[in-house]
Amino acid sequence: MSASTKLSNSVKALCYLAEAYPNARNSNQISNRVGVNASKLRKLLSLLSQSGIVASNKGVSGGFYLTKKTKEINLQQIYCAIEDRKVFHLDVNSKNGEYKGETEFYNTYFLKLFADIQIDIEKKMEKVSLKSLMDDIENQNIK
C-alpha cells in the first residue's frame, strides 16, 4: 500500500471514529465505512494505537476509539504514526565512474533541495488538523 493510500485510509478511519465518538467501532465496522480490507485496516489502526492517536477495547462491545480531540490530531502526526520514511523520499545512489564528481554534486544538490521541500511539507501537514479536514469535508458536502 502506498504512503498516500495509507494516509488517506487512516484519515478516513479516524474521521469515522470521530463521528462515532465516544463509542468504539470494531475493524469490520470501520472497514465497511472506509472501504478497506479489515486486516489492512487493523495494521493501520495498530500503528495509530502505538502512537497514542487511537486506543482499543477488547471484548464483544470492543473496538477502536480516538484518544485525542480532533483539533489535537494533525496530518503530520498521522503520517509519522503509519510511515517509517519521509513524505518526500529521494533515493540517490552514488555511482563510481567517469562522472563521479558530477553525480555527487547533483546528489548533494537534490538532497538539499528535497530536504527543504520535506520541511515545507511537514509544516503544512502540521497545520491541517483532523477537525479542520472534517470541517472542510462537511462544508463541501463530501461524504
Side-chain angles (χ1 to χ4, degrees):
M1 190 181 315
S2 74
S4 60
T5 301
K6 287 167 59 174
L7 181 60
S8 174
N9 290 337
S10 296
V11 168
K12 290 175 193 173
L14 293 172
C15 287
Y16 178 57
L17 292 177
E19 291 169 1
Y21 188 83
N23 300 314
R25 295 291 183 244
N26 66 43
S27 58
N28 287 329
Q29 292 170 313
I30 302 168
S31 172
N32 288 335
R33 177 69 178 269
V34 175
V36 177
N37 177 290
S39 66
K40 288 183 181 180
L41 190 62
R42 278 190 293 276
K43 289 178 185 175
L44 292 174
L45 291 167
S46 174
L47 294 170
L48 292 165
S49 178
Q50 290 172 18
S51 292
I53 295 171
V54 301
S56 63
N57 293 327
K58 298 188 189 268
V60 177
S61 62
F64 295 90
Y65 58 92
L66 292 180
T67 60
K68 300 178 179 183
K69 294 178 181 178
T70 55
K71 67 181 180 182
E72 297 171 350
I73 303 168
N74 64 52
L75 290 181
Q76 179 65 12
Q77 293 167 321
I78 298 167
Y79 187 86
C80 288
I82 61 170
E83 280 295 332
D84 59 354
R85 65 184 178 97
K86 298 285 188 184
V87 175
F88 202 82
H89 178 70
L90 175 66
D91 183 19
V92 290
N93 296 312
S94 185
K95 295 181 180 178
N96 294 325
E98 186 177 345
Y99 301 104
K100 183 178 180 197
E102 185 177 304
T103 301
E104 287 174 359
F105 168 79
Y106 284 116
N107 285 351
T108 301
Y109 173 80
F110 282 112
L111 285 173
K112 168 77 173 99
L113 173 65
F114 291 132
D116 291 344
I117 293 170
Q118 176 68 38
I119 291 167
D120 291 342
I121 290 170
E122 289 175 2
K123 285 180 181 176
K124 177 88 175 188
M125 289 177 70
E126 286 173 355
K127 292 179 182 177
V128 181
S129 71
L130 189 60
K131 179 176 180 4
S132 67
L133 192 143
M134 292 176 72
D135 290 346
D136 286 348
I137 291 170
E138 186 175 318
N139 290 337
Q140 295 180 26
N141 227 1
I142 301 170
K143 293 254 176 172

